[in-house]
Amino acid sequence: MKGLSVLVLDDEAIVRREIREFLSAYGYDVHEAALPSEAFAFLSRERVDVMLLDVRLPEVDGIAVLARMKTEWPSVEVIMMSGHGDMDTTIAALRGGAFDFFKKPLDGLEIRSSIERTKRYLALSGRIRTLEGTYASLSDDVVKFAGSIIGESTAIRAVIDRTLRAAASDDTPVLITGESGSGKELIARVIHYASTRKENAFYPVNCPAIPDTLIESELFGAVRGAYTGAEDRAGCFETAHGGTLFLDEIGDMPLEAQAKMLRVIEEKKVRRVGGTREIPVNVRVVCATNKDVKALIAKGKFREDLFYRLSTVEILLPSLRERKEDIPMLARHYAGYFARKLNREKIELDDGALRTLAAYHFPGNVRELKNIIERAIILCDGDMLSEHHFPLDAAQKAQAVAETLNLETLERTAIECALQRSSYSKTRAAELLGITIFALSRKMEKFGITVEKKI
């Protein structure tokens, strides 16, 4: 999406400047406004895709600005920011239609990641609106989801059909399984935005990123004094009320929290940690995992009753190895995408490049293919990508690993490849893998991977 336009509305000049400088380096078209009136005037004359909106502003507050945005400029996605990130404000923002919410001081990489997710939603939203209630008449063009889910393979068509059928029943829990990088969160967002819950919050939670000691308060909320430093706060279920709660990597959730989550799903009521009052919640739960949940059940690490409650509808995403016929289409799509993003002329892939990619097993799946294409275009001087632009040193190793069908081995290989490609920067490796540094550190400890001696 060339020239994605971002408008930053914040009364602090230094905040606006830092955001503009950071995002401009990634090719975004960034504009600034210090007052809501300035932002509204700009919106009246210019196209804007995403607004970064501060909560505390002169003239009117950010929640009021958000309400007007959803009325007059509903196509603009809003990401809210606040230096006073109380939970009530977060809930008001998300219920008001904000795409995301961040506390100050801001993390540039998190903001960029949110905008990337927003871009994918913008690509999906137009098509998904036309699909509402009409999944039975799914067309070939819609299968591609405007470049977000690309492919014509039988496997992908089956996934899309099941996804839209799941979306049509907006209370049924869904379990999405598949390897890392196969697009599980994207499927979860399609389920939400193609359902009647689309006007309410889609609230993603990365379970491995939450310490075990805090996961219950994050999910269910807490009351003041429940533990040292605890304040009254809503949890994820309350925040996602009316919408969809997406629990990513559910297989990493502690058993005690699993038992309480099962009760909340069945009773549709939540009790905050340390509290006695039961609070009604209306939430659709969509979960995802790259683990073999039945194997976890056999080892006593996952509750069988919770598994069957979450997997009323199960969607298994195929790995890229299992739909190799989609690789040329995906490769050409990302070549065009990054050429536009980097202000390059149209870039093609020759037959040798396509053969090389088709022979590779992609332990990192579509996410890895995207990164490989981006790197090749950056290093390519001409307008044609050839075999030598794809030095896939790990191809043989990945192929041997893939043939074992061992997900943990694949995960370890993906982490090692990401560390190698990022010159052993954990921050960059986490970004390549699409996980937090905390989650990466936990996985590295699990697999005994260290980087100190390679720095």
Side-chain angles (χ1 to χ4, degrees), residues 41-79:
F42 184 84
L43 286 159
S44 298
R45 65 178 186 269
E46 300 287 345
R47 176 185 66 85
V48 172
D49 297 305
V50 179
M51 173 186 276
L52 297 181
L53 172 62
D54 192 25
V55 171
R56 296 198 175 184
L57 293 165
E59 300 179 342
V60 294
D61 66 29
I63 300 298
V65 172
L66 174 64
R68 182 171 174 183
M69 292 293 300
K70 291 303 167 184
T71 300
E72 298 187 27
W73 297 279
S75 64
V76 179
E77 294 302 322
V78 179
I79 297 172

Side-chain angles (χ1 to χ4, degrees), residues 309-321:
R309 191 69 183 87
L310 295 177
S311 60
T312 304
V313 175
E314 187 170 356
I315 299 173
L316 172 61
L317 291 189
S319 68
L320 194 50
R321 299 182 302 280

Side-chain angles (χ1 to χ4, degrees), residues 206-212 430 435-444:
N206 185 12
C207 295
I210 306 173
D212 291 354
I435 61 177
T436 65
I437 295 179
F438 180 82
L440 176 61
S441 297
R442 287 185 62 179
K443 291 177 183 295
M444 289 174 63

Side-chain angles (χ1 to χ4, degrees), residues 27-255:
Y28 299 112
D29 186 14
V30 186
H31 308 275
E32 299 180 30
L35 300 171
S37 57
E38 293 178 9
F40 296 144
F42 184 84
L43 286 159
S44 298
R45 65 178 186 269
E46 300 287 345
R47 176 185 66 85
V48 172
D49 297 305
V50 179
M51 173 186 276
L52 297 181
L53 172 62
D54 192 25
V55 171
R56 296 198 175 184
L57 293 165
E59 300 179 342
V60 294
D61 66 29
I63 300 298
V65 172
L66 174 64
R68 182 171 174 183
M69 292 293 300
K70 291 303 167 184
T71 300
E72 298 187 27
W73 297 279
S75 64
V76 179
E77 294 302 322
V78 179
I79 297 172
M80 300 203 70
M81 315 173 290
S82 175
H84 312 273
D86 60 279
M87 185 55 68
D88 289 340
T89 302
T90 305
I91 293 173
L94 293 173
R95 288 183 179 174
F99 189 87
D100 220 333
F101 189 101
F102 291 98
K103 292 172 63 176
K104 295 180 179 178
L106 301 172
D107 182 317
L109 291 176
E110 287 186 352
I111 291 289
R112 184 196 172 207
S113 177
S114 181
I115 291 176
E116 288 296 313
R117 292 196 302 270
T118 306
K119 284 171 62 180
R120 293 197 298 270
Y121 168 61
L122 289 170
L124 282 167
S125 58
R127 295 266 179 117
I128 289 176
R129 289 191 190 100
T130 67
L131 291 171
E132 240 178 1
T134 63
Y135 64 84
S137 59
L138 193 64
S139 71
D140 290 341
D141 288 338
V142 172
V143 170
K144 300 173 186 177
F145 276 105
S148 293
I149 302 177
I150 300 168
E152 296 181 344
S153 63
T154 301
I156 278 298
R157 288 175 181 268
V159 165
I160 294 173
D161 178 69
R162 179 167 278 232
T163 298
L164 295 174
R165 290 178 183 274
S169 175
D170 66 0
D171 286 324
T172 305
V174 180
L175 178 64
I176 307 167
T177 58
E179 296 178 10
S180 295
S182 57
K184 295 187 289 294
E185 182 172 343
L186 178 57
I187 294 297
R189 288 183 179 274
V190 172
I191 290 171
H192 173 74
Y193 289 107
S195 76
T196 58
R197 295 179 178 270
K198 65 182 183 299
E199 300 299 332
N200 297 311
F202 175 86
Y203 197 92
V205 178
N206 185 12
C207 295
I210 306 173
D212 291 354
T213 54
L214 297 178
I215 194 163
E216 289 187 23
S217 61
E218 287 293 321
L219 289 173
F220 313 123
V223 299
R224 182 188 295 271
Y227 51 85
T228 303
E231 299 290 338
D232 287 329
R233 62 187 299 271
C236 300
F237 275 89
E238 288 179 72
T239 306
H241 181 74
T244 301
L245 177 62
F246 175 53
L247 299 174
D248 198 10
E249 299 307 338
I250 187 72
D252 291 318
M253 180 176 288
L255 281 170

